[in-house]
Amino acid sequence: MYSRYMELALEEARTAFAKGEVPVGAVIVKGDRVLSRAHNLTETLGDSTAHAEILAIGAACRELGGWRLDGCTMVVTLEPCPMCAGAVVQARLDTVVVGAFDFKAGAAGSVYNIVQDRRLNHRAKVVYGVMQDECSELLKRFFQQKR
């Protein structure tokens, strides 16, 4: 169901890889409509907040003309970090579809679970492991090249 959108997110991640960015891609959809696509641009922009998820959320909000992304799903190649998980909650995304887990800084269930924290005003459903092998392999290749 989500694999066609994860393939789009992987395309974004491959673009990030080619730019020397950590290869993470994100896509936001509402129904069958793709609202936004983005990849990491932290190095390119010199901006620590220029993660794929943040950029995709901003673009989707502009596309819909408001800050609430009710009824929307984010498909992302790597589990969101705490900053991005917070943005998921703030944007009111319904669902987050995760490719690879991030066992060092993931905040959608592996290290933290910000997106489902009952103390917060919104919780998103999380679907794990969509095209996990492909997403993980791209990240492994990137970091092997950096070493």
Side-chain angles (χ1 to χ4, degrees):
M1 173 177 181
Y2 296 114
S3 58
R4 79 178 196 171
Y5 300 118
M6 187 60 78
E7 191 55 56
L8 295 176
L10 273 164
E11 286 177 18
E12 291 293 326
R14 290 181 194 108
T15 299
F17 188 112
K19 293 178 178 180
E21 300 277 357
V22 175
V24 177
V27 174
I28 296 180
V29 298
K30 187 166 189 170
D32 289 334
R33 180 178 167 206
V34 175
L35 299 176
S36 64
R37 297 170 56 153
H39 55 272
N40 277 0
L41 288 173
T42 55
E43 299 295 334
T44 302
L45 298 177
D47 180 352
S48 60
T49 68
H51 289 197
E53 299 95 324
I54 300 292
L55 298 172
I57 287 170
C61 289
R62 288 187 296 279
E63 179 68 21
L64 291 178
W67 64 269
R68 286 184 180 91
L69 297 179
D70 299 315
C72 296
T73 296
M74 175 186 287
V75 180
V76 61
T77 58
L78 179 65
E79 180 182 358
C81 71
M83 174 182 68
C84 294
V88 164
V89 172
Q90 290 300 110
R92 311 296 197 270
L93 281 154
D94 285 358
T95 305
V96 179
V97 178
V98 175
F101 288 95
D102 183 349
F103 293 111
K104 293 182 181 176
S110 63
V111 178
Y112 308 102
N113 198 355
I114 292 171
V115 299
Q116 295 180 326
D117 191 322
R118 295 198 178 278
R119 296 169 292 183
L120 300 176
N121 63 336
H122 176 78
R123 284 167 294 288
K125 174 184 168 189
V126 183
V127 177
Y128 301 102
V130 175
M131 297 180 71
Q132 181 174 351
D133 292 341
E134 295 91 332
C135 295
S136 295
E137 182 57 34
L138 185 61
L139 286 158
K140 285 178 195 170
R141 279 190 304 153
F142 176 79
F143 287 110
Q144 284 171 350
Q145 284 185 1
K146 288 291 180 190
R147 291 186 191 129

